[in-house]
Structures are given as C-alpha cells and as structure tokens.
Amino acid sequence: MFITPNTIENIVKQIEETAGTQTALLFIAEHTKIDIENLILELNQRQITFAGGIFPRVIYNDTVYEEGIVVNFIDQIHHAFVIKNLDQKEFTIPKIQLASDKSYCTFTLVDGLTGNIANYLSELYRTLGTSSIYFGGGAGSLTLEQKPCLFDNDGFYMNAAISLIYESRVSIGVKHGWEKVDGPLIATKTNNNTIQEINWRNALEVYKEIVERDCKQEITVDNFFSIAKAYPFGIVKENSECIVRDPISTNEKGELICVGEVLNNTVLDILRGKNENLISSATEAAKLTTKNAQNPNTGIIIDCISRVLFLEENFQLELNTVIEELRSKNNQMEISGALTLGEISSYNGYLEFFNKTIVIGLFE
Amino acid sequence: MDIGKNIADILQLYEFSMAIGKSLDYEKNCDKFLTLLLARKNLSGCCILRKRDEHYEKLYAFPAASVSNKYIPHNQFLTSCFKNSEPKTGIFNDSIKKTVPMCTEKGAWVYFNLKEDLGLFLFENNGNLFTSIDINQLNPIIAKFSLSLDACESFSKQQDLLKKLTSQNQELKEYAHVISHDLKSPLRNVVTLIAWTKEDAGNLDENLLQNLTGIEENAEKMDNLINGLLTYSTIDKEDIVANHIDIKPFIQEIIESINDSKKEITTFNIHTNVESLNFNALQFKQLFFHLISNAIYSIDKENGVINIHIDQHDSILKCSVQDNGKGIAKRYFDKIFEIFQTLENDKKSTGVGLSIVKKIIELYEGKIWLESQENMGTSFHFTLKT
C-alpha cells in the first residue's frame, strides 16, 4: 500500500482499514511532512501493531518517491524486538527458538548511521543461525545527519535496530555489479566505520593515489563525496560478490568514514561502477529471486540510495528491469521498497551488512 | 599463473592469522577468528567438539544452534573424523544428519583436527565442496588457531587457580583470626583463675605454688605460640602499605619493647647509611623484633654486645644483627628457619620467630643466612628489595 502525504488521521485510517490483526511495516520517505511522535500516538490509540523507518526515498511499483509512505502488512509476528544503544558494545538479543520444520524471515531495520551494525548482525546470526532468512536495510537521512529514524509502538529511536521474525517463505537475490579497479590492499588500522590506514599509510593518501589516477581528477574536501560515490571499497568474500563499503566522508586526519564497519586487517579492493554493470546486476538479483520463488504475492526491494546518486536518471532503468523481472513471476504482485543507507541479507551464508547493493525479496 | 589471485589469497591468510589470539578468553578468541572465517569464506557455521570417553562435547558453536546438543553420543561419522589428524571433507547426507545434530539441511562440511581429542568443523550451505586448495591454505592457519586455544585453556586454568588461591587465602586469614580468638580467650581465663587462686589461697604449699607457676608459664608460652602462628599465617596476606620509618628511633623502640633482663647487660650499636626509609612498619618491626630477641636471649657473657647494621644500596636493603652470644652449631644452620624448630629445650621459645623472619624476607625477594661460631657469637645477614 502507498499512502500519499496526508493528515495523520487519514494516514492512520487508511492503515487501519487493511491492518486488522496484522502488523504494519512502514517505510516513510524522509521528505514526508509528518510528525512521527503523533503518528505513533494515533496508531497506538487504534491498537495497531506497527514498526518502521524513515528512508531517503521509498519505492512503490515502478516509482521512486521523496514523499509518501509505503505500508506492508505481516500476518503473524513470531517475535519482535528493538535493540537500543546499538552504538554501545553491550546489547542482548533475546533467546528465540524457531521450529526447524518451518520457514522464517527476519526483517531487520537498523539506524544506517550508527556504529556496531555488523556486530549486531553477527549476534543476530549467532542466535538464529540458518533457521531464518534475513532481509532488511539501514534507515536514516540522505543528509547523513544522524537523527531518530526507527519507530514502533513503544517509541521513536536513533542508534537502534528493530527485528521482526515471522513465518514466511522468502526468496532472496543480492547483487551490486561494482568492479575492481585496484587491490588487494589491507586496511591496516581501522576503528569501527573509519579506515585510518591502508597498507600502513594514511588512508586518504592511498585512496587518492588510486582513485585520482583512474578518474583523472583531484580529490578535495569539497568534491570528496561526489567522486567517492563512484569508487567504493570491496571486502573480498569467497563464492560471492565482494561486500561493498561506501566511503562517505573524510576527516581532518585523512581518515575515511564508511557506512558500516571495516575490521582491522580487512583485505580490500577499490571498486568502480559502470551504469550498465550496475543495472544488469540488479536484473540478475531479480532473476535469482524469481528463480527460487514459487508463488510470491509480495516483492520488496531494498536498494542503496547511493546507487540512485550514481546512476541518476538511469536508476529508473534499473528499477524498470527489476520490476519487469519480478512481475514475470506474478503480474498482480504488489512491489514496494525503500532506498536505504546499507542493506541486509544472509544470502545462503554469513549474515552481512552491504552498501551500494540491491537486495530483493519475494514473499509467499 | 594468476599472480593477482595468489597475492589476494596470501593477504586473506594474513587477515585470518591476524585475527587469531586476540583474546585469552576461549569464547572471544573463537569469535574473533571463526566469525571472520565464516564471513570471508561465506560459510554458514562452525563448531569445536572435544572427544571424551563417554561422548563428544560441544565447546563452541557459531551460530549457537548449529550444533543443538551440548553432548553428542559416539558415532561412526565423528569417530572416522577424529581418528585422522588430516583434514577431511564431505557433503551432508541423511546418515550424518541422523547421528550428528548439526542444524543444516544441505551443503558441505570440512573437519580439521586441532589436537588429538579436539576437532573443528566448518559448514557451508551452498553445496560447494571444500577444495584441497581451500583446505591446504587453511590448515596452517587452523594449526595456529589450535595453539591459541591451548593458550586460552592455560590462561583459564591459571585464572581459576588464582581465584581458588585468593579465596583460600581469605579463608585461612579468617580461620587464623577465629582460631586465635577462640584459643586465646580460654587461655586468658586460665591465667586469671591462677592469679585469683594464688591471691585467695594465702600460704600455698611450695609444690602447689610451683605447679601453678608452671601452668602460668606454659599458658604464656601458648599465648606466644598463638600470636606467632597468627603472624606467620597472615604476614604475607595483609595489604602491604609502605610507611615512613626513622631507622634509629624505630630500632630503639623495638629494643625497649623486648621483655628480657639480659638487655641490662647488653650494649646495642645501630649502624646505618640512611636515616629513614619507606617500608611496611609492621613487617619491619617483626623482622628486627625476632632477630634482636634471639640475639639478646643468646647472650651468655657478662657484657653482651649487639651490632645492628642497616644499609641501603640502590633498591636493596642489606641488614645484619650480630651478637657475642653462645653461637649456633653448624648442623642447625638450615633447620633453624623451619617452623617449630628450637635449638634446645627452651620453655619460652615457640620456634616460630625465625620462620616469620624468613617469610617476610622471601616476600621482599630477599635472602637470609647466618655466620656463627660456638661461644663467640652469631651474625644473621639478610637482604630485602625495597
């Protein structure tokens, strides 16, 4: 369901009409003029169970919206929990027992600008393991200014993660299409999301040397983001595409700040994007999803906002090819999604936090 | 040959090896290395099992439920893995799933022997078999990881021992205090009752009086023995606080506190190259009290002379207590520092004093030795680290 900007009362009314006993999952585009605290109050008064996040943009069918609310409904939540203060090392994930003969999906929303996301996902995987499929993304503002961006019946949160576990057969496709320019390099000194040294040298110096040689442009403080969005890092991973890490800014010490953690001594490549590769990889992700799905009724696309910034007007092409592929499985299927700050999926192995990647889920 | 691939492989192994031994805590050490290995190799899980006589025990698993039971009965699959020191790999099939409660529906497994009775399993979910290159690359890294697990186990044992020791020390301290209190109060009653009996009874029979005096003397010895034992058992367990000590007045005070009539015929000479020092006052007093008491006690001449030397040389304190008493026979030189050892049948001596002295000196990483000539005198020398 897509709700255009409206009064809180009307928004809540529309959700209530469909919700019944289901849990509403809300993706709100960040420019939507809405008072979240008020929305929480109104939804609670109508006794609607809900959770959601604020994202740079949302997707409904073949359109990207800067304003508006995408609502999906989940039948029976097996378990839902919020982890607050994710930026602190200490947090506890509740012990959960999942039946081995059933299929589960763990839908996770995180504050995309907090620290410790990889650690949270690692702990989530430690608890649930392969008994669930994982799917989700990072909420937050495109301004990269951190503020509350996740909410549920109990409040509006920053530095948090919300996980909803429910019974569902899900088919997932994950791809990014970024290609190696240079590497391997070693991130010899890091601190959570910050790469301080590469190959035992100042990180920015090494990054500049490689990227300037390729893009034939000098990197300055002012143009860092506009150039770096085309040259992310790739963490080498066997039997799959590398994990992309997006450097979004630099500081006065010449350190590179990324979306998501980079561990000490991580082996990195520097990647480069080409429009056609990114678009074809998105189609490939969609094909992977449809190949494994049987009778999907809902499609959710979690696509990185930085792909939109890189592809610009060509992003519509990416979205169109993905939608076309998904519709080939079920023409009537409702497709929605969010443009996120980081994407979450396990894809048949260890649970990861991706950047600049498209994660598509078909739910049955 | 793909040089780029080789370099990438080597750097990947570098990353793995740098993640080993990041913590001496068993679980954290496993977490740091194994979760990285799972992430980079896109594996779905792992576990460490120890072979015991009665079953296999799960020591570590990630995800926690990847092996659901803590104990797994002996079975053909695990026996065939554990009997080899070489790695082994295969695909999960129904027979394995029936015997080993590993929560995976499909995929491959690889086994690495960590030690004779310890094995590591890695699982993957995509059905990609582990190749011999994968295994050969990982084998030395896993061997290094195995050593780090040994270090974790040793550290854990050491920590347990330390905890046990600390608790035993505390118990001993409390026990010593309780015992000393419980033994001393009836003793005090005995002494008081004898004093009252002597006062109240008027003219007592000489033999009875002698017996009562004997009881009094033995009670006093018992009291000294309890005090000595309490000091001996707690001297190295108290918190050590350094105090400022002005040497000459401090030693003088110790001499004054010694209750022995031979003090009147003895000359005391105190030599020192420092006026003051920082040391635990109680332990410093214990040291010199027992050595000077023994020296005074040994005086058998009309004019006793006791020379006390205290010299500071950098961080070492060199001290000696020398007397012109009756001397000690060589055969007692080692025995003399053992607890309850006295040189002769002395009613007053408890045989604890020199043991306390030795214990304090050892606490300060020092040494004690003696030189003596019978009928000429004895010198006790000792060092202390300050």
Side-chain angles (χ1 to χ4, degrees):
Chain A
M1 175 197 282
F2 181 71
I3 303 172
T4 47
N6 209 325
T7 62
I8 296 252
E9 200 176 313
N10 278 333
I11 292 169
V12 172
K13 202 176 158 197
Q14 286 184 63
I15 296 172
E16 192 182 24
E17 276 168 12
T18 321
T21 57
Q22 300 178 104
T23 298
L25 179 62
L26 282 69
F27 300 162
I28 301 180
E30 73 167 313
H31 291 300
T32 312
K33 288 169 191 67
I34 188 167
D35 180 345
I36 301 290
E37 302 280 6
N38 228 339
L39 177 72
I40 296 171
L41 207 70
E42 288 292 326
L43 286 168
N44 275 333
Q45 273 177 7
R46 313 265 176 124
Q47 296 182 322
I48 297 167
T49 318
F50 63 94
I54 298 171
F55 298 91
R57 289 171 207 174
V58 295
I59 299 167
Y60 189 70
N61 288 331
D62 56 359
T63 310
V64 171
Y65 295 91
E66 291 194 1
E67 292 179 45
I69 305 168
V70 163
V71 189
N72 279 287
F73 294 95
I74 302 168
D75 257 349
Q76 271 192 325
I77 299 282
H78 182 278
H79 217 102
F81 54 91
V82 179
I83 302 292
K84 296 172 200 166
N85 303 321
L86 202 60
D87 53 333
Q88 328 264 302
K89 288 266 174 194
E90 297 298 318
F91 55 82
T92 311
I93 294 177
K95 282 193 174 145
I96 298 156
Q97 204 72 37
L98 298 181
S100 58
D101 57 345
K102 289 180 178 167
S103 304
Y104 293 94
C105 174
T106 303
F107 197 101
T108 297
L109 297 177
V110 293
D111 175 346
L113 295 173
T114 191
N116 249 341
I117 295 172
N119 190 22
Y120 171 68
L121 296 180
S122 176
E123 289 307 305
L124 191 62
Y125 188 66
R126 186 200 295 276
T127 308
L128 301 175
T130 51
S131 51
S132 171
I133 296 284
Y134 301 87
F135 188 71
S141 167
L142 186 54
T143 60
L144 304 181
E145 183 198 335
Q146 201 190 359
K147 42 193 173 189
C149 57
L150 297 175
F151 55 87
D152 71 354
N153 291 74
D154 296 326
F156 191 23
Y157 317 108
M158 188 164 90
N159 289 319
I162 297 177
S163 288
L164 310 171
I165 304 169
Y166 55 99
E167 227 180 287
S168 174
R169 238 192 77 84
V170 193
S171 161
I172 304 270
V174 186
K175 283 280 170 188
H176 57 67
W178 297 82
E179 288 180 334
K180 177 176 168 179
V181 178
D182 207 334
L185 309 161
I186 307 177
T188 41
K189 193 175 175 196
T190 68
N191 181 16
N192 287 331
N193 294 11
T194 306
I195 304 176
Q196 296 163 313
E197 284 179 11
I198 295 174
N199 287 359
W200 299 274
R201 288 173 56 205
N202 178 276
L204 181 61
E205 260 177 47
V206 178
Y207 183 76
K208 273 177 76 167
E209 269 175 27
I210 295 168
V211 173
E212 284 176 353
R213 199 166 54 226
D214 192 75
C215 72
K216 314 273 188 286
Q217 245 187 301
E218 191 191 344
I219 297 178
T220 63
V221 175
D222 296 332
N223 70 6
F224 180 84
F225 185 72
S226 64
I227 294 179
K229 71 180 183 186
Y231 290 95
F233 290 104
I235 299 172
V236 180
K237 189 175 173 88
E238 268 181 41
N239 303 321
S240 94
E241 276 189 314
C242 62
I243 308 294
V244 183
R245 278 287 167 270
D246 207 358
I248 49 170
S249 63
T250 178
N251 62 20
E252 68 287 350
K253 291 186 222 158
E255 298 169 341
L256 302 172
I257 296 134
C258 300
V259 179
E261 291 104 308
V262 178
L263 295 176
N264 259 328
N265 303 306
T266 297
V267 182
L268 298 170
D269 287 332
I270 290 182
L271 311 175
R272 178 180 50 195
K274 281 186 191 155
N275 287 358
E276 59 273 25
N277 290 349
L278 263 65
I279 294 167
S280 70
S281 73
T283 316
E284 223 179 296
K287 281 183 176 159
L288 273 171
T289 324
T290 52
K291 193 179 132 191
N292 295 320
Q294 287 170 359
N295 300 303
N297 51 36
T298 308
I300 298 183
I301 301 168
I302 299 291
D303 205 346
C304 189
I305 184 65
S306 66
R307 288 173 78 88
V308 182
L309 301 179
F310 178 78
L311 289 168
E312 296 174 342
E313 67 274 14
N314 288 315
F315 180 74
Q316 190 59 50
L317 213 57
E318 170 165 312
L319 189 58
N320 290 345
T321 57
V322 167
I323 300 274
E324 194 184 320
E325 176 59 31
L326 298 184
R327 288 245 184 273
S328 72
K329 202 75 187 176
N330 176 356
N331 200 23
Q332 301 301 309
M333 183 165 53
E334 191 171 79
I335 299 169
S336 62
L339 297 175
T340 55
L341 301 175
E343 302 71 47
I344 293 167
S345 172
S346 55
Y347 196 52
N348 266 343
Y350 195 76
L351 178 57
E352 295 275 11
F353 186 61
F354 303 96
N355 296 161
K356 289 185 180 295
T357 299
I358 181 166
V359 179
I360 304 166
L362 284 180
F363 298 77
E364 297 179 14
Chain B
M1 187 186 285
D2 186 351
I3 299 287
K5 167 85 171 71
N6 287 350
I7 292 172
D9 284 349
I10 291 165
L11 290 185
Q12 187 68 88
L13 295 175
Y14 170 81
E15 185 183 6
F16 290 150
S17 83
M18 292 299 278
I20 293 170
K22 288 263 183 190
S23 171
L24 282 169
D25 177 88
Y26 197 94
E27 179 102 6
K28 282 184 189 158
N29 184 32
C30 290
D31 271 353
K32 297 268 181 200
F33 171 63
L34 292 172
T35 57
L36 182 78
L37 190 67
L38 298 188
R40 299 295 185 257
K41 294 264 179 197
N42 203 24
L43 305 176
S44 57
C46 65
C47 73
I48 297 175
L49 300 182
R50 168 160 281 154
K51 187 183 174 185
R52 304 236 184 242
D53 288 341
E54 57 279 24
H55 48 234
Y56 289 90
E57 183 187 353
K58 176 176 79 173
L59 296 187
Y60 176 85
F62 190 99
S66 62
V67 176
S68 49
N69 299 353
K70 170 93 175 152
Y71 301 107
I72 304 164
H74 284 274
N75 61 71
Q76 204 184 346
F77 170 67
L78 290 178
T79 307
S80 71
C81 290
F82 273 79
K83 78 175 178 199
N84 289 323
S85 57
E86 291 303 309
K88 208 174 167 190
T89 184
I91 294 277
F92 276 107
N93 57 33
D94 286 344
S95 107
I96 296 173
K97 273 186 262 172
K98 265 181 210 161
T99 51
V100 184
M102 291 172 183
C103 295
T104 185
E105 290 294 308
K106 51 184 182 171
W109 56 268
V110 62
Y111 164 83
F112 290 94
N113 185 259
L114 299 175
K115 272 195 303 194
E116 209 174 294
D117 59 345
L118 203 66
L120 166 71
F121 283 92
L122 302 175
F123 318 127
E124 76 87 60
N125 241 356
N126 299 311
N128 300 318
L129 263 174
F130 292 88
T131 66
S132 58
I133 293 179
D134 284 338
I135 294 169
N136 290 341
Q137 278 183 351
L138 281 180
N139 212 12
I141 298 287
I142 303 282
K144 190 180 170 203
F145 173 61
S146 173
L147 285 178
S148 77
L149 291 182
D150 284 349
C152 290
E153 280 182 333
S154 301
F155 182 72
S156 164
K157 277 180 197 159
Q158 194 186 326
Q159 291 298 100
D160 287 349
L161 214 61
L162 204 66
K163 223 166 140 186
K164 216 180 269 177
L165 211 61
T166 310
S167 129
Q168 278 174 353
N169 273 347
Q170 186 57 33
E171 270 173 31
L172 189 67
K173 213 163 122 181
E174 284 163 12
Y175 182 71
H177 276 105
V178 169
I179 289 288
S180 123
H181 177 265
D182 289 359
L183 288 179
K184 282 179 85 164
S185 61
L187 212 56
R188 269 196 299 272
N189 292 342
V190 169
V191 172
T192 311
L193 287 170
I194 290 169
W196 288 350
T197 310
K198 277 178 166 177
E199 269 176 34
D200 295 348
N203 292 330
L204 283 170
D205 174 73
E206 189 64 25
N207 281 341
L208 192 58
L209 200 59
Q210 229 172 19
N211 287 343
L212 284 176
T213 307
I215 293 171
E216 257 181 329
E217 280 172 3
N218 275 294
E220 193 188 336
K221 186 178 172 181
M222 183 97 159
D223 189 52
N224 288 338
L225 187 63
I226 292 167
N227 285 340
L229 279 175
L230 182 65
T231 308
Y232 182 78
S233 60
T234 56
I235 198 85
D236 56 344
K237 291 173 187 73
E238 302 288 353
D239 292 335
I240 296 173
V241 182
N243 310 99
H244 179 83
I245 295 171
D246 289 320
I247 291 176
K248 282 190 177 173
F250 193 86
I251 298 291
Q252 207 59 56
E253 218 173 283
I254 293 171
I255 295 167
E256 277 163 25
S257 74
I258 296 169
N259 184 18
D260 192 323
S261 58
K262 287 184 196 165
K263 250 173 26 178
E264 311 307 323
I265 54 156
T266 305
T267 309
F268 295 92
N269 303 308
I270 306 167
H271 309 275
T272 177
N273 69 350
V274 277
E275 273 186 23
S276 64
L277 54 86
N278 282 321
F279 204 89
N280 183 270
L282 180 70
Q283 290 168 344
F284 203 68
K285 187 181 173 183
Q286 289 283 349
L287 271 176
F288 282 95
F289 177 86
H290 290 294
L291 288 170
I292 296 170
S293 296
N294 281 359
I296 296 171
Y297 186 73
S298 76
I299 299 295
D300 58 349
K301 301 174 179 68
E302 275 181 24
N303 296 310
V305 179
I306 294 178
N307 295 315
I308 299 155
H309 288 266
I310 300 171
D311 290 336
Q312 177 102 44
H313 299 279
D314 299 323
S315 62
I316 304 290
L317 205 60
K318 289 184 175 175
C319 309
S320 65
V321 176
Q322 181 196 21
D323 63 65
N324 63 342
K326 50 189 151 190
I328 299 166
K330 211 166 181 172
R331 64 178 182 281
Y332 294 118
F333 277 19
D334 289 332
K335 227 177 169 188
I336 202 168
F337 296 108
E338 288 171 20
I339 196 160
F340 303 132
Q341 293 294 332
T342 51
L343 291 183
E344 51 203 76
N345 190 15
D346 171 25
K347 284 177 188 171
K348 280 191 175 177
S349 174
T350 59
V352 179
L354 283 177
S355 311
I356 293 172
V357 167
K358 189 166 184 259
K359 204 168 180 184
I360 294 171
I361 288 166
E362 282 171 353
L363 192 64
Y364 288 90
E365 296 170 47
K367 279 182 183 164
I368 184 163
W369 68 98
L370 69 144
E371 291 165 351
S372 185
Q373 233 178 319
E374 282 182 87
N375 301 319
M376 298 293 284
T378 303
S379 296
F380 280 93
H381 303 272
F382 63 93
T383 60
L384 295 167
K385 221 174 188 180
T386 58

